[in-house]
Amino acid sequence: MRQKGKKWLVAACVALCCAAVLALAGCGSSASTASGPASGSASGSQAASSSSEAKASGTVSFTDSAGRTVELPAKIERVAITGPISQMFMFTLAPEKMVGLSNKLSDTEAKYVGSDYANLPVYGQIYGGKGDFNKEAVANADPQVIIDIGEAKKTIVEDMDAIQESTGIPCVHIEASFDSYDEAYKKLGELLGVQDRANELADYCAKAYKETTDAIASVPEADRVKVLYLLGDAGLNVMAKGSFQGTVVDRVATNVAEVEKASGSGLGNESSFEQIAMWDPQMIIFAPGSIYDTVGNDDAWKTLAAISSGNYYAVPGEPYNWISSPPGVNQVLGYQWFARLCYPSKFKDGIADTVKGYYKTFYGYDMSDAECEKLIANSVPKK
């Protein structure tokens, strides 16, 4: 009797277990029907897991201006640069993150960007005449990212991939052109996590560009100042119409230096005094370090209308040439200066106020009235 009772108890337990399994299977089926396929639930779990892993690893995906998606640290504190334009952008946005320079700082540059940065190692540049980018030294500096800023070369994707592969460091390109400096700052600010400062600079660029462009647009083509931009020790090189380096001149005035092929170099096109005399423009501007100081006393140069009338000027060069060499965010100031020089009645504020505002915004430098007057002495109409 006791044995039969045991058999009955075992049978009852088995029955209860089977019922429970069937009930659970039914619940699972109902849940799948109500909330979608079971595989969808698994994908959701995997996505959440992937997101958590990304946060844990501290990395983010960044798509650069060349369309390359690169995995980067979520917080970037160490940056290497590939050239002068990248250096210029970084000095105005986040210089404390730089591990080195593309070119040595002059005393004038150090005055505005900070003398402490003059001691940073120099790694060279990947584009331009030098092409001396020291990949090994850059890799040894252990930056978290290498940043290239400027005009996109035709080989930009291959170039960035090659540097990234040879150094083992993520490399990105950010497009920066005359009419898109604001967007370049925003993208760089996103990359470096300094959006507030980037937006400040972007807003300045956008406002300056619109105000200046609108003012110039109100000047009929026939009334645009006819100008030459001369460079070199003898002043016989010209920044020809259509040159990438001469964008500011072309946007503001009528550049009379029309040649078969405009050079993209900061040295411009070689010319001759005879050719310059044939062009004989209303205004001449000389690059920093050219012959501005001597032409007023030179009998040959005084035969030119611009020189004899005193309508010639020197492009300021602190901390960079305001127009070119390199063509970077220095052009934002150069554009405002040159437009006010050519068409002063089109603007509510003068050159001095514009200059002081730019230096304060971009370099945090409070320029005195005396400093400003000295800086632009040869860049404004003569008294």
Side-chain angles (χ1 to χ4, degrees):
M1 185 72 181
R2 193 175 293 171
Q3 210 167 6
K4 286 183 180 179
K6 284 183 179 180
K7 288 180 179 179
W8 180 87
L9 184 59
V10 170
C13 287
V14 170
L16 286 171
C17 287
C18 289
V21 169
L22 289 172
L24 286 170
C27 288
S29 177
S30 299
S32 296
T33 303
S35 61
S39 60
S41 298
S43 295
S45 298
Q46 289 171 357
S49 175
S50 297
S51 176
S52 298
E53 288 174 6
K55 288 180 179 179
S57 64
T59 62
V60 294
S61 293
F62 180 82
T63 301
D64 71 4
S65 300
R68 301 165 56 257
T69 299
V70 181
E71 200 72 13
L72 296 170
K75 187 175 182 181
I76 294 176
E77 298 294 347
R78 295 178 59 77
V79 173
I81 53 175
T82 65
I85 296 178
S86 305
Q87 180 165 304
M88 189 185 297
F89 267 89
M90 286 299 298
F91 270 135
T92 59
L93 182 63
E96 71 282 356
K97 296 180 184 289
M98 296 169 63
V99 299
L101 306 170
S102 68
N103 52 279
K104 188 176 180 180
L105 287 186
S106 67
D107 291 341
T108 301
E109 289 172 313
K111 172 184 174 181
Y112 296 105
V113 304
S115 57
D116 291 346
Y117 298 112
N119 296 321
L120 288 174
V122 177
Y123 298 131
Q125 60 192 72
I126 63 171
Y127 297 116
K130 296 179 180 178
D132 56 353
F133 191 64
N134 190 331
K135 296 177 185 178
E136 184 178 354
V138 169
N140 289 336
D142 194 29
Q144 295 162 290
V145 63
I146 298 172
I147 300 177
D148 177 70
I149 305 175
E151 179 191 24
K153 305 296 186 288
K154 291 181 180 179
T155 57
I156 191 64
V157 173
E158 294 84 352
D159 294 342
M160 295 298 101
D161 286 346
I163 293 172
Q164 184 166 303
E165 184 177 347
S166 60
T167 62
I169 300 164
C171 190
V172 301
H173 169 73
I174 295 178
E175 177 79 16
S177 58
F178 181 75
D179 51 3
S180 69
Y181 290 136
D182 58 331
E183 293 302 321
Y185 270 121
K186 288 178 182 178
K187 198 162 187 69
L188 188 58
E190 172 196 348
L191 171 66
L192 300 179
V194 288
Q195 287 91 338
D196 288 346
R197 173 60 176 160
N199 287 337
E200 179 187 12
L201 294 170
D203 289 346
Y204 182 102
C205 290
K207 182 181 178 182
Y209 179 83
K210 184 179 187 310
E211 178 190 42
T212 309
T213 301
D214 287 350
I216 295 168
S218 68
V219 181
E221 286 289 340
D223 295 337
R224 301 283 173 91
V225 176
K226 294 177 175 59
V227 66
L228 276 181
Y229 177 24
L230 302 181
L231 312 90
D233 294 340
L236 297 179
N237 282 32
V238 298
M239 196 63 75
K241 185 175 182 178
S243 166
F244 177 68
Q245 295 265 356
T247 302
V248 168
V249 177
D250 291 354
R251 292 290 185 97
V252 173
T254 298
N255 187 347
V256 298
E258 296 195 42
V259 300
E260 187 174 338
K261 184 178 180 181
S263 170
S265 163
L267 300 176
N269 288 74
E270 291 185 7
S271 187
S272 65
F273 184 81
E274 290 72 24
Q275 178 60 69
I276 291 170
M278 288 178 65
W279 282 319
D280 199 17
Q282 295 170 275
M283 177 189 289
I284 293 176
I285 53 176
F286 291 94
S290 191
I291 59 169
Y292 168 86
D293 290 333
T294 63
V295 292
N297 296 316
D298 186 297
D299 290 338
W301 283 92
K302 285 194 294 185
T303 62
L304 303 181
I307 306 301
S308 62
S309 66
N311 199 24
Y312 65 98
Y313 308 91
V315 179
E318 294 187 16
Y320 308 99
N321 179 329
W322 287 6
I323 287 182
S324 58
S325 303
V329 291
N330 47 333
Q331 292 182 316
V332 177
L333 178 55
Y335 191 38
Q336 296 179 89
W337 159 71
F338 193 46
R340 283 166 173 77
L341 178 64
C342 291
Y343 318 111
S345 65
K346 296 294 181 180
F347 298 91
K348 294 179 180 178
D349 57 346
I351 291 174
D353 288 338
T354 302
V355 170
K356 287 188 286 186
Y358 177 90
Y359 279 79
K360 176 64 175 176
T361 302
F362 279 73
Y363 299 109
Y365 189 86
D366 287 305
M367 183 175 287
S368 68
D369 291 341
E371 283 181 298
C372 185
E373 185 177 346
K374 182 179 179 181
L375 176 63
I376 64 175
N378 299 326
S379 313
V380 295
K382 300 166 182 59
K383 296 180 180 179

